[in-house]
Amino acid sequence: MTIAESLEDLRTKIGPKATLIAVSKTKPVELLMEAYDADQRHFGENKIQEMAQKYEVMPKDIHWHMIGHIQTNKIKYMASFVHLVHGVDRSKVLAALNKEAAKLGRIIDCTLQVHIAQEDTKFGFDLDELAEVVQTLGQYPNVRVRGLMGMATFTDDHTQIREEFTALHNAFETYGPDRGWEVLSMGMSGDYEIALACGATHLRIGSSIFGARNYSA
Ligand SMILES: *Cc1c(COP(=O)(O)O)cnc(C)c1O
């Protein structure tokens, strides 16, 4: 399938309920432009400088999503243009985003990353830490938390994936209504259908659109 066909196929499966973020990390601008020409406007990257380089050369009506782990000293490279920072996983990132956003007189939108997987390699607040950090958000007037983000365990066990996404959805329902949250970012190529069924509003899908990634390149 071409990129345009893959996008069309995904849009049909997803329907209007969720926003499809095309995860383009490691992929060259030519391939992103193929997606753009097929009307894709939300792109996700996991390295700040790679995203900033692509932002420079691509059309300016793209919404750029930072979905990776955040190094606070790099926030300055994306602070002026980033649409949504998904992987906020510690208070230090909130403070650093707030500082860079304040310098520019803007508000940066983000989601708090929650650790729902059994693997301990995945970042994020655990549920106890989440309960604490949501009480502190008033300290960051130039950051607006819009919801939650999470990654399920990499497994074929659909029951487990569903349990993990359900836990994230429950947290979203616990804290979201009082705070006007509207983003529940969960689901990737392998598990987005489960995520959708569990209430995802934003799907982060890479390899099903652009093909497998080659990290050795
Ligand atoms: C790479 C990545 C994705 C997309 O993964 P695919 O399996 O290629 O769809 C989604 N979310 C995050 C945080 C990622 O790093």
Side-chain angles (χ1 to χ4, degrees), residues 144-178:
R144 183 168 53 175
V145 173
R146 311 302 307 276
L148 301 177
M149 177 270 207
M151 292 169 83
T153 303
F154 188 69
T155 172
D156 291 330
D157 183 347
H158 286 195
T159 305
Q160 183 179 346
I161 295 171
R162 192 172 297 109
E163 280 170 10
E164 292 173 0
F165 285 153
T166 299
L168 190 58
H169 182 256
N170 288 345
F172 181 74
E173 288 297 315
T174 301
Y175 302 110
D178 291 345

Side-chain angles (χ1 to χ4, degrees), residues 25 45-52 66-69 215:
K25 60 193 187 196
E45 291 282 335
N46 74 336
K47 294 214 162 63
I48 292 173
Q49 274 152 315
E50 182 176 343
M51 182 172 79
M66 175 41 57
I67 65 170
H69 187 67
Y215 285 101

Side-chain angles (χ1 to χ4, degrees), residues 27-192:
K27 298 295 178 180
V29 165
E30 300 80 74
L31 295 190
L32 278 70
M33 280 309 298
E34 266 188 64
Y36 180 88
D37 289 337
D39 295 328
Q40 184 62 30
R41 291 295 180 272
H42 290 264
F43 288 85
E45 291 282 335
N46 74 336
K47 294 214 162 63
I48 292 173
Q49 274 152 315
E50 182 176 343
M51 182 172 79
Q53 284 163 8
K54 288 172 174 171
Y55 164 78
E56 284 300 324
V57 297
M58 290 195 63
K60 292 298 173 281
D61 61 342
I62 291 174
H63 297 301
W64 291 99
H65 295 255
M66 175 41 57
I67 65 170
H69 187 67
I70 306 296
Q71 288 175 270
T72 53
N73 60 341
K74 306 236 167 96
I75 289 172
K76 55 181 180 281
Y77 301 117
M78 66 170 176
S80 68
F81 70 88
V82 69
H83 177 68
L84 185 67
V85 180
H86 293 237
V88 174
D89 64 354
R90 54 209 196 280
S91 293
K92 189 182 170 193
V93 176
L94 286 166
L97 282 171
N98 190 61
K99 189 173 154 201
E100 293 300 326
K103 278 187 201 164
L104 298 165
R106 72 167 292 208
I107 289 176
I108 294 181
D109 284 338
C110 70
T111 58
L112 301 175
Q113 183 169 358
V114 182
H115 184 268
I116 51 171
Q118 279 178 7
E119 297 151 16
D120 46 41
T121 52
K122 287 186 179 144
F123 298 106
F125 296 103
D126 64 31
L127 291 174
D128 293 336
E129 292 166 340
L130 181 65
E132 285 174 24
V133 77
V134 294
Q135 306 304 328
T136 69
L137 300 178
Q139 298 172 25
Y140 313 106
N142 289 74
V143 174
R144 183 168 53 175
V145 173
R146 311 302 307 276
L148 301 177
M149 177 270 207
M151 292 169 83
T153 303
F154 188 69
T155 172
D156 291 330
D157 183 347
H158 286 195
T159 305
Q160 183 179 346
I161 295 171
R162 192 172 297 109
E163 280 170 10
E164 292 173 0
F165 285 153
T166 299
L168 190 58
H169 182 256
N170 288 345
F172 181 74
E173 288 297 315
T174 301
Y175 302 110
D178 291 345
R179 296 171 174 83
W181 286 359
E182 54 194 23
V183 179
L184 183 54
S185 167
M186 59 186 193
M188 315 181 8
S189 292
D191 57 19
Y192 76 89

Side-chain angles (χ1 to χ4, degrees), residues 17-20 172 182-186 195-196 199-203:
K17 280 199 330 197
T19 300
L20 170 59
F172 181 74
E182 54 194 23
V183 179
L184 183 54
S185 167
M186 59 186 193
L196 257 188
T201 67
H202 288 64
L203 307 173

